[in-house]
Amino acid sequence: MTPKLKKSLLYWLLLSPLCVVILLPFGVMFVTALRPRDELFVYPPTWTFSEFRWENFVEMWVKTNFGGALLNSLYVSVTSTIIAIVLSIPAAYALSRYRFSGKGLYRNFLLMTQMMSPIVLVLGLFRLMVHLNLVNSLNSLVVTYVAFNMAFTIWMLQSYFNTIPRDLEEASWIDGATSFTSLVKIFLPLAVPAMVVTAIFTFINSWNEFVLALTLIRSQNDYTLPVQIFSQVAGRYQVEWHHVMAATVLATVPVAIVFSWLQRYLIRGMALGAVK
């Protein structure tokens, strides 16, 4: 056995408890989603893997309005992510490239906003949305998610923008390009991995958010996925756990697809951020 193989086996041995802790909940969730309803609380189980009920997913989709909640979550998460990134790029670029009075104060303000929990502000946000006539509207979630995520996106983008050499922009200025042209054609293409990484984390934050969605959305037709899944548990005399777990399994699929699709940008962006 080579030293390299021994080191790899040692690392896997040390990481195996962590892998079990991380993967076990997903395994329990997946198995519960496929178990027959009558066998959910039977131990030891009397069923076999050949008796997995894939029909649980179909029943869950019809009975829980999962499709509508999925579309609502996609709309809110994608829209808020795009708006947050678009609005954060100029702010992050200004922090990275220019000196202006109050720059340090602004950076500290962004940091302080990340220390505030949505629960602390939920009453004020609710009254604000009532005043704007946006309660029970998905757009209220878009507005609040953009506001809460912008501090994070500005911080992330600025740290990545600092790693892009300024000489590239100055060379384009010498060739006659305007500041806007160099930003669009030189700077932003180099920052694509950073923007993708930031967008992934912003999307996940919006996708998983629960407190604001529960407070601002009252109609079940406008529920996002976290609230829709929660509604299958809260206030019920009998919980259909196989449907709850099936919904939870499907709720993880979009995030897994985003990670798989943008994995190469994720790796490049994180490597870029590590080089200061």
Side-chain angles (χ1 to χ4, degrees):
M1 184 179 297
T2 62
K4 186 176 181 180
L5 180 58
K6 289 182 179 179
K7 184 180 294 186
S8 298
L9 292 176
L10 178 61
Y11 287 157
W12 277 109
L13 182 63
L14 294 176
L15 292 174
S16 56
L18 180 61
C19 294
V20 171
V21 171
I22 294 175
L23 296 178
L24 182 61
F26 289 95
V28 173
M29 178 176 66
F30 183 75
V31 172
T32 304
L34 294 174
R35 291 182 67 174
R37 185 178 183 277
D38 298 335
E39 297 286 341
L40 289 177
F41 301 103
V42 176
Y43 186 84
T46 60
W47 51 277
T48 62
F49 289 102
S50 61
E51 297 175 346
F52 272 164
R53 284 181 50 85
W54 297 98
E55 297 84 357
N56 288 348
F57 288 91
V58 179
E59 295 175 0
M60 176 276 302
W61 190 282
V62 175
K63 292 183 178 180
T64 63
N65 189 31
F66 185 89
L70 176 63
L71 292 178
N72 293 338
S73 284
L74 285 175
Y75 168 76
V76 170
S77 301
V78 173
T79 305
S80 60
T81 299
I82 293 174
I83 296 176
I85 294 298
V86 171
L87 294 180
S88 298
I89 287 175
Y93 183 80
L95 287 173
S96 175
R97 288 295 191 261
Y98 299 109
R99 295 181 179 179
F100 53 89
S101 58
K103 179 178 178 179
L105 182 63
Y106 179 61
R107 286 169 54 90
N108 293 332
F109 169 75
L110 293 177
L111 182 61
M112 290 176 59
T113 59
Q114 294 299 288
M115 302 178 185
M116 303 178 67
S117 172
I119 299 177
V120 178
L121 303 175
V122 68
L123 180 60
L125 288 172
F126 180 79
R127 297 190 62 178
L128 176 63
M129 293 304 161
V130 170
H131 180 72
L132 297 176
N133 197 27
L134 288 176
V135 173
N136 203 32
S137 171
L138 293 177
N139 290 327
S140 65
L141 295 182
V142 173
V143 172
T144 53
Y145 291 173
V146 170
F148 274 101
N149 285 319
M150 274 193 62
F152 168 77
T153 54
I154 291 173
W155 264 95
M156 288 283 291
L157 290 176
Q158 187 225 342
S159 65
Y160 288 123
F161 288 175
N162 288 339
T163 65
I164 300 178
R166 189 182 179 89
D167 297 343
L168 298 176
E169 296 172 87
E170 294 176 347
S172 66
W173 297 339
I174 294 175
D175 292 337
T178 63
S179 299
F180 180 78
T181 302
S182 64
L183 172 65
V184 174
K185 294 186 177 181
I186 304 297
F187 187 87
L188 290 184
L190 295 175
V192 167
M195 290 187 290
V196 171
V197 172
T198 307
I200 289 175
F201 286 106
T202 305
F203 177 85
I204 294 174
N205 289 337
S206 302
W207 183 265
N208 293 328
E209 202 284 322
F210 173 74
V211 174
L212 293 176
L214 181 65
T215 304
L216 298 177
I217 303 298
R218 301 301 180 88
S219 172
Q220 190 170 3
N221 293 329
D222 294 325
Y223 280 175
T224 57
L225 278 180
V227 181
Q228 183 65 36
I229 295 173
F230 171 75
S231 68
Q232 303 305 310
V233 180
R236 291 178 177 262
Y237 291 105
Q238 185 176 6
V239 179
E240 302 288 347
W241 286 110
H242 55 305
H243 289 166
V244 174
M245 292 297 102
T248 307
V249 169
L250 291 184
T252 62
V253 172
V255 176
I257 292 175
V258 170
F259 263 95
S260 300
W261 182 35
L262 302 175
Q263 184 179 16
R264 60 192 181 98
Y265 290 106
L266 180 64
I267 297 173
R268 288 172 56 192
M270 294 183 71
L272 178 63
V275 179
K276 299 288 185 179

